[in-house]
């Protein structure tokens, strides 16, 4: 029996998944991309563009491109692309058809049945419009299910426990929160609240207005009145928003975005996370109000919620985590990629409808919070034993996060970066895992000068910590291996010989070879990074391609020399570039 497509038809992005060999998996295109931007357009010759190609065209031809059509589903409206008009269902059908084509390419056969997800707060008109879009795409829509139901399925496909989940779903264009009861495989939505016009798109608009106002004040030109400039700016702030989920500071740089008196004008603006959070706090407070209303309707206190599940790409925003934790006093679950879990859950629903047994989704997470010691308040008292989390427990791997800290006094010459893991607010109660000093700071720097600290944690548990004095650019980094990986090849060889001696045997060639193999395995992450670079290089913008080639050459030389330390260092440099490239 052919699998049933599970489709998350999103405002900003869409995803398709199936259950294969009992495991839900996301379907990828021929470039390895799992996410399809929900953007549709017509090129200058009238040919259809869907996904990344349409998104790129929006920068230069916004009049031939449609974004966020999900917000118009269920309305008696038309959207314009070039000189053509389409219903929202037709545009959505183009996205669904593209996802079905992706499935056919991946599997070698056409899938005709689908389960499609919608926000729990969608009304019947919006749900019917979704069914019509599926039919127009040539799909038999077996069921339209709520996104929180799908998320619950992917976390607990066959739970026998009586559990109550709070599913907080903040996507690109919609928000809803649902209280869900799961018992013996039956999922019941007890209450829902939300806003079908609140999401990441609104965050983008706030950022765009903030940047446009700054540009207007500096140059006297409003970029919002220039369609191409506005489209470029929207793309830039969207990328900045994503980066601010993991970076404390970002720079927006767009060359020749406008002109004045025949002179080209460039955009160059630095944004930090607190600025962004101040902009979006009122919108996020609306979501917290919805959380309280949903709990009230379900007649449940927060203490009776067994699990809080985060869904939707916008939940990566650190302020979302902070506000939810402050309100609910519960651990937040986001182990399964919030961009993918709804599609995976829809695939699970499709498999269950087809009578297929489904296992859990397997994810790699960090079991402990990682952070640094700093001066701060603990229980209302200032102390130099404050633990500041950077990567929180249960974050999916690999994970990258950064935050800004400050010097204590003017002319401070050095800072000590003490890295710890644990869940206590007091650093001395957590486990010390490493430290280093950033020295020779600017002697003329005032008190409260900014120090940027970044953590990069890979799948093998290897943590790279970077500290940078922002004003001068002075930086230093160290790599801290996980305790499991600290058993080096030399130690392994010595251990083999000691054990063989104790048992009155000669060390076997196989065991000693294992020591060499262990050393060689240390190069594997670097080889994987090189392979990723080779795959992404053809799609890299010109400004990135030259840097990637140089770093690839440096990495290849280190690999040929079998120099583990140099290879991992070169791979880290290359990975930093690839990280932002993969998010484009």
């Amino acid at each position: 029996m052919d699998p049933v497509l599970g489709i998350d038809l999103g405002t900003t992005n869409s995803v398709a998944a199936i259950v294969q060999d009992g495991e839900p998996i996301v379907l990828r295109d021929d470039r390895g991309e799992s996410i399809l931007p929900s953007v549709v357009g017509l090129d200058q010759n009238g040919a259809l563009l869907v996904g990344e190609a349409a998104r790129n065209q929006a920068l230069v031809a916004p009049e031939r491109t449609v974004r966020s059509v999900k917000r118009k589903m269920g309305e008696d409206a038309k959207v314009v692309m070039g000189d053509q008009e389409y219903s929202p269902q037709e545009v959505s059908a183009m996205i669904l058809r593209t996802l079905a084509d992706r499935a056919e390419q991946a599997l070698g056969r056409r899938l005709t049945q689908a389960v499609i997800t919608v926000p729990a707060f969608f009304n019947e008109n919006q749900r019917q419009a979704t069914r019509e879009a599926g039919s127009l795409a040539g799909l038999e829509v077996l069921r339209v299910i709520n996104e929180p139901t799908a998320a619950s399925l992917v976390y607990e496909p066959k739970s026998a426990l009586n559990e109550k989940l709070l599913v907080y779903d903040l996507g690109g264009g919609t928000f809803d929160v649902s209280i869900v009861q799961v018992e013996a495989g039956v999922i019941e939505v007890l209450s829902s609240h939300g806003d079908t016009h609140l999401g990441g798109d609104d965050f983008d608009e706030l950022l765009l207005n903030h940047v446009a106002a700054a540009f207007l004040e500096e140059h006297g030109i409003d970029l919002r009145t220039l369609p191409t400039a506005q489209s470029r700016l929207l793309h830039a702030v969207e990328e900045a928003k994503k980066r601010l989920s993991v970076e404390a500071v970002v720079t927006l740089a767009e060359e020749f975005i406008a002109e004045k008196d025949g002179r080209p004008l460039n955009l160059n603006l630095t944004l930090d996370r607190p600025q962004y959070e101040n902009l979006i706090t009122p919108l996020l407070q609306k979501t917290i109000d919805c959380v309280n209303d949903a709990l009230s309707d379900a007649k449940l206190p927060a203490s009776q919620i067994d699990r809080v599940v985060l869904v939707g790409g916008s939940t990566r925003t650190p302020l979302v985590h902070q506000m939810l934790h402050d309100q609910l006093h519960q651990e937040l679950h986001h182990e399964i990629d919030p961009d993918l879990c709804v599609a995976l859950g829809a695939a699970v629903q499709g498999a269950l409808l087809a009578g297929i047994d489904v296992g859990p989704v397997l994810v790699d997470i960090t079991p402990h919070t990682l952070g640094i010691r700093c001066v701060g308040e603990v229980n209302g008292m200032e102390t130099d034993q404050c633990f500041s989390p950077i990567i929180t427990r249960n974050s999916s791997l690999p994970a990258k996060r950064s935050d800004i800290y400050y010097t204590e006094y003017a002319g401070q010459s050095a800072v000590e970066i003490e890295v710890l893991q644990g869940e206590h607010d007091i650093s001395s109660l957590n486990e010390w895992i490493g430290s280093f000093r950033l020295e020779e700071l600017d002697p003329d720097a005032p008190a409260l000068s900014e120090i940027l600290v970044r953590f990069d944690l890979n799948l093998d548990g290897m943590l790279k910590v970077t500290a940078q004095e922002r004003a001068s650019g002075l930086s230093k980094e160290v790599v801290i291996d996980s305790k499991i990986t600290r058993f080096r090849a030399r130690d392994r060889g010595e251990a083999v010989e000691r054990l063989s001696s104790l048992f009155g045997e000669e060390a076997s060639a196989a065991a000693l070879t294992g020591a060499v193999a262990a050393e060689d395995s240390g190069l594997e992450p670097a080889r994987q990074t090189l392979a990723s670079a080779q795959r992404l290089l053809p799609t890299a913008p010109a400004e990135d391609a030259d840097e990637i080639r140089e770093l690839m050459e440096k990495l290849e030389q280190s690999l040929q020399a079998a120099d583990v330390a140099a290879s991992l260092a070169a791979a880290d440099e290359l990975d930093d570039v690839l990280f932002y490239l993969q998010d484009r």
Side-chain angles (χ1 to χ4, degrees), residues 34-266:
S34 57
I35 292 173
L36 177 74
S38 299
V39 187
V40 176
L42 298 174
D43 71 11
Q44 57 189 358
N45 298 318
L48 179 65
L49 301 173
V50 180
E52 194 65 38
R55 187 170 178 264
N56 291 338
Q57 177 188 259
L59 299 175
V60 293
E63 73 283 357
R64 296 201 307 268
T65 313
V66 174
R67 310 166 61 115
S68 303
V69 73
K70 183 174 178 176
R71 285 187 160 184
K72 296 185 178 296
M73 292 292 277
E75 296 180 9
D76 184 14
K78 295 288 185 181
V79 295
V80 178
M81 282 194 291
D83 58 357
Q84 301 290 320
E85 289 188 344
Y86 298 90
S87 68
Q89 294 96 309
E90 288 176 290
V91 177
S92 292
M94 297 171 194
I95 297 168
L96 292 170
R97 177 65 181 268
T98 303
L99 290 171
D101 291 345
R102 173 181 292 186
E104 183 174 11
Q105 281 186 334
L107 303 174
R109 61 189 187 280
R110 192 77 181 176
L111 300 186
T112 59
Q113 296 181 315
V115 170
I116 304 176
T117 64
V118 295
F121 227 52
F122 255 26
N123 61 33
E124 186 52 39
N125 287 337
Q126 292 166 310
R127 292 169 189 269
Q128 182 57 35
T130 303
R131 295 186 190 97
E132 290 170 355
S135 179
L136 289 171
L139 295 168
E140 178 189 357
V141 181
L142 299 181
R143 192 165 295 179
V144 172
I145 68 170
N146 292 333
E147 289 161 3
T149 301
S152 304
L153 276 167
V154 77
Y155 271 92
E156 288 292 345
K158 297 180 293 185
S159 176
L161 301 175
N162 183 349
E163 285 194 317
K164 293 179 177 65
L165 280 62
L166 187 151
V167 181
Y168 179 99
D169 186 352
L170 183 59
T174 61
F175 165 74
D176 60 58
V177 55
S178 298
I179 311 300
V180 178
Q181 181 168 283
V182 183
E183 185 174 12
V186 176
I187 296 176
E188 178 187 0
V189 177
L190 301 180
S191 66
S192 285
H193 273 267
D195 189 333
T196 56
H197 288 78
L198 192 162
D201 286 355
D202 301 286
F203 301 169
D204 296 340
E205 184 177 358
L206 289 171
L207 267 178
L208 185 146
N209 289 332
H210 173 79
V211 175
F215 192 89
L216 176 63
E217 183 177 352
E218 182 178 357
H219 298 290
I221 291 179
D222 190 344
L223 297 176
R224 292 164 293 193
T225 64
L226 307 171
T228 300
Q230 183 185 29
S231 187
R232 286 180 62 189
L233 182 57
L234 180 61
H235 181 78
V237 298
E238 185 179 344
E239 294 304 310
K241 174 191 70 177
K242 292 177 184 177
R243 290 178 58 191
L244 283 169
S245 292
V246 295
E247 299 290 344
V249 183
V250 299
T251 299
L252 281 82
E254 292 287 325
E255 294 184 354
F256 200 178
I257 196 167
E259 66 175 345
K260 184 176 183 180
D261 301 327
R263 179 173 57 88
L265 300 177
N266 301 326

